[in-house]
Amino acid sequence: MRHQITGFSNPTIKRLRSLREKKHRKREGLFLAEGLRILTEALDSGRTPKILVVVEDSELHPLAQKIEAATLAGGGDVIETSEAIIAKLSGKSNPQSIIGIYPDHPVPLDALDRSAANIWLVAQALRDPGNLGTILRTGDAVGAGGLILIDDCVDPFSVEAVRASMGAIFTQTISQARWPDFLEWLRSGPGELVGTSLNTDKDYQSVQYKAPTFLVVGNEAQGLPEEYEAACDTLVKMPMMGKADSLNAAVAASVMAYEVLNQNRHR
């Protein structure tokens, strides 16, 4: 159904705006995605919004028209509203003119098919939504099976993480687990666990990685805990030629993922 809402106090607008907070996202099982590019990625991945919000009295881009048609065909709602209300929903003063509300889609560990890809990304206690979104983009770029979030990571369905993923939130499988549960699952089948660490002299390009390779990066400030490093099959590090002693977590994940991808390409 298509309808118009013009008031900030409308219950539907209040409900959608509440999705900027994690507790409400968890309760509703929904999250917010903004922008034509991200929503097009979602549609190309077979996902349509439950609710589509567009600026009233504006001519929709042909891709936006396609998203709207798919939303209505799937039984979703289309809301026409003002730019001011869309700004409130997005939290930006210069929002894009289209927002989609989607069901979240975490996948349990035991439902993952590790044979689906040679590369899997794993992040432990990641705190920055920009880093999480960038790691999702990297996973999409290298054809990773997905991202497994360990322990207490930032919410992958936060507005900031979704925005940083540039649509990869819809193309990548996402799973969440505590470390002991992840290790038990990992050791129940094939898979090499590779960690990035300062506590090794092994160069990341000196190792022949075995598929499927699970690349784990740690918290931005502390890195991987010592006991987590001890559980890895291999620890590697990248050469640092300047004064910095480590790379940003998302950058490290990207460098490692492309090294594994290149090894797989040239075998």
Side-chain angles (χ1 to χ4, degrees):
M1 180 183 297
R2 186 180 182 116
H3 49 104
Q4 189 175 61
I5 297 177
T6 57
F8 284 93
S9 61
N10 182 278
T12 297
I13 296 301
K14 288 184 175 181
R15 176 188 171 217
L16 299 186
R17 189 164 184 260
S18 76
L19 296 178
R20 294 185 55 79
E21 298 181 33
K22 182 177 180 180
K23 65 179 180 180
H24 296 298
R25 289 194 296 273
K26 292 294 184 184
R27 185 190 69 233
E28 298 264 7
L30 298 171
F31 71 98
L32 184 153
E34 176 193 4
L36 185 58
R37 176 176 175 178
I38 292 179
L39 269 61
T40 299
E41 288 282 1
L43 188 63
D44 289 345
S45 300
R47 299 183 187 275
T48 55
K50 292 190 70 172
I51 301 173
L52 185 69
V53 185
V54 298
V55 174
E56 60 188 344
D57 300 326
S58 63
E59 183 176 349
L60 292 180
H61 187 281
L63 288 175
Q65 293 178 22
K66 187 176 179 182
I67 295 166
E68 178 184 16
T71 302
L72 294 172
D77 293 327
V78 176
I79 296 173
E80 291 183 341
T81 192
S82 66
E83 289 185 4
I85 287 179
I86 283 189
K88 280 287 186 183
L89 295 180
S90 73
K92 295 171 63 179
S93 59
N94 58 336
Q96 299 196 45
S97 60
I98 186 168
I99 289 176
I101 310 300
Y102 294 84
D104 60 17
H105 48 271
V107 176
L109 265 183
D110 57 10
L112 295 181
D113 177 10
R114 70 181 74 204
S115 67
N118 288 332
I119 304 172
W120 292 80
L121 299 176
V122 184
Q124 186 267 333
L126 207 65
R127 292 286 184 259
D128 184 86
N131 282 337
L132 194 152
T134 299
I135 290 173
L136 284 170
R137 290 179 69 183
T138 295
D140 178 83
V142 301
L147 173 62
I148 302 172
L149 299 173
I150 302 298
D151 300 337
D152 297 318
C153 287
V154 65
D155 184 6
F157 299 106
S158 70
V159 173
E160 297 79 9
V162 171
R163 187 179 292 147
S165 81
M166 294 300 290
I169 189 75
F170 296 106
T171 67
Q172 288 289 284
T173 299
I174 299 173
S175 189
Q176 297 171 293
R178 309 303 297 184
W179 180 253
D181 297 327
F182 167 69
L183 273 186
E184 181 180 359
W185 172 82
L186 180 68
R187 300 310 181 195
S188 69
E192 179 183 40
L193 184 60
V194 178
T196 55
S197 172
L198 298 177
N199 301 318
T200 181
D201 292 324
K202 192 175 292 185
D203 186 279
Y204 78 112
Q205 290 186 320
S206 70
V207 176
Q208 290 296 309
Y209 299 104
K210 302 172 185 176
T213 308
F214 290 82
L215 300 172
V216 56
V217 294
N219 172 267
E220 291 94 340
Q222 283 83 35
L224 286 173
E226 187 176 327
E227 62 269 29
Y228 290 29
E229 289 188 351
C232 291
D233 298 303
T234 304
L235 290 177
V236 297
K237 71 177 181 180
M238 285 146 277
M240 305 295 297
M241 311 307 290
K243 294 183 178 180
D245 63 357
S246 63
L247 292 173
N248 167 275
V251 173
S254 299
V255 172
M256 287 297 305
Y258 269 97
E259 175 61 23
V260 176
L261 174 64
N262 284 331
Q263 286 194 16
N264 290 333
R265 290 170 63 213
H266 297 128
R267 280 178 183 152

